Amino acid sequence: MKRVLLGIFVIASIAACDKKEVPGTLEVESDVIYLPADEGIRHILVDATTEWRLEYDTSTPWMSTDLHGGKAARKYFTVSYLENPNASARTCTIKIFTSDRNDVKELTLIQRRQASAIHFSVDEFQAECWAGSYSVAFTDNIIDRSNMTVSTDSDWITLYPFTADTDAVEFYLDRIPSVVTGSRVGHIYVSCEVEDEGTVTGALTVRQFAKTN
């Protein structure tokens, strides 16, 4: 009888050992993931040996996830994000951990800023044959405008002094020569060197029409 009880105890002990949980582990595809400035979704790969969970600031207004955890068989979660209208990048940190908290990873999402751009209020400025002074406004999303410059490719367009704190280009057009028929075309450029992007340029086409009889 004692031998039978001992055997049962041994079997029960082995079964208990078999049921002992193995500490969970997980892997994430990257520690940092860059998102484009435009609105979209991104599937993020997770490989865990147990159930896993997500933690992040759910009050973050520009991003959300489709779930806050999954079983070991679930190998990804999806991030939805809004367009970034800002001139700087924005970030959010997501903590991913196994249900037994044996393994924890931190993932940083970085949504890129909008590409720098300069836009004139019109694509083409049209003028009569007479000489005269004009002004055309432009907009941009450049933070540091300290090295912004204006230039032209035409000798009949004279640029007035320009400062980087203005939002318009002022210029003078010579009278179109009588020998010119139809029209002549020149261009005015506003350019700025932007860190990590190089030279950003906006172009205005200037068309001056000859006198018609």
Side-chain angles (χ1 to χ4, degrees), residues 16-24 50 99-100:
C17 290
D18 290 341
K19 292 181 180 179
K20 184 178 180 180
E21 293 186 1
V22 177
T50 65
S99 56
D100 61 2

Side-chain angles (χ1 to χ4, degrees), residues 166-188:
T166 61
D167 295 318
V169 172
E170 296 181 343
F171 54 96
Y172 178 86
L173 301 184
D174 295 339
R175 180 172 178 170
I176 195 169
S178 58
V179 295
V180 176
T181 59
S183 64
R184 61 182 177 182
V185 175
H187 299 88
I188 296 174

Side-chain angles (χ1 to χ4, degrees), residues 138-155:
F138 67 89
T139 58
D140 68 273
N141 62 350
I142 299 173
I143 297 176
D144 182 6
R145 305 172 82 214
S146 60
N147 60 10
M148 185 174 284
T149 60
V150 61
S151 60
T152 181
D153 60 3
S154 301
D155 58 8

Side-chain angles (χ1 to χ4, degrees), residues 1-211:
M1 184 65 178
K2 290 182 178 180
R3 290 182 177 179
V4 173
L5 292 175
L6 180 60
I8 294 173
F9 176 77
V10 172
I11 293 172
S13 299
I14 294 173
C17 290
D18 290 341
K19 292 181 180 179
K20 184 178 180 180
E21 293 186 1
V22 177
T25 60
L26 65 82
E27 295 294 335
V28 183
E29 64 175 276
S30 179
D31 294 335
V32 178
I33 292 179
Y34 288 89
L35 305 174
D38 295 332
E39 179 180 1
I41 62 172
R42 176 69 150 81
H43 301 305
I44 298 175
L45 302 181
V46 177
D47 188 9
T49 59
T50 65
E51 290 187 3
W52 49 273
R53 300 286 183 268
L54 302 179
E55 281 185 0
Y56 63 93
D57 183 359
T58 55
S59 65
T60 302
W62 59 272
M63 63 80 62
S64 61
T65 59
D66 62 332
L67 46 78
H68 290 275
K71 295 184 180 298
R74 179 65 184 252
K75 299 300 182 183
Y76 71 94
F77 64 94
T78 302
V79 171
S80 300
Y81 50 92
L82 302 178
E83 178 184 5
N84 182 7
N86 305 318
S88 58
R90 54 188 180 185
T91 65
C92 181
T93 299
I94 300 178
K95 183 179 292 185
I96 309 166
F97 56 91
T98 55
S99 56
D100 61 2
R101 290 189 175 269
N102 179 70
D103 200 357
V104 181
K105 298 290 191 298
E106 279 197 353
L107 166 67
T108 300
L109 297 176
I110 302 176
Q111 187 177 28
R112 300 182 187 278
R113 67 185 183 184
Q114 290 287 342
S116 299
I118 301 170
H119 298 289
F120 279 93
S121 58
V122 294
D123 293 329
E124 181 175 286
F125 178 81
Q126 298 181 352
E128 299 293 336
C129 63
W130 316 110
S133 297
Y134 304 93
S135 176
V136 177
F138 67 89
T139 58
D140 68 273
N141 62 350
I142 299 173
I143 297 176
D144 182 6
R145 305 172 82 214
S146 60
N147 60 10
M148 185 174 284
T149 60
V150 61
S151 60
T152 181
D153 60 3
S154 301
D155 58 8
W156 50 274
I157 301 175
T158 301
L159 300 171
Y160 289 118
F162 174 83
T163 58
D165 58 351
T166 61
D167 295 318
V169 172
E170 296 181 343
F171 54 96
Y172 178 86
L173 301 184
D174 295 339
R175 180 172 178 170
I176 195 169
S178 58
V179 295
V180 176
T181 59
S183 64
R184 61 182 177 182
V185 175
H187 299 88
I188 296 174
Y189 306 98
V190 174
S191 302
C192 190
E193 289 294 323
V194 179
E195 186 178 1
D196 299 330
E197 293 185 57
T199 304
V200 177
T201 301
L204 172 68
T205 298
V206 179
R207 184 181 300 274
Q208 188 179 33
F209 292 91
K211 183 178 179 180

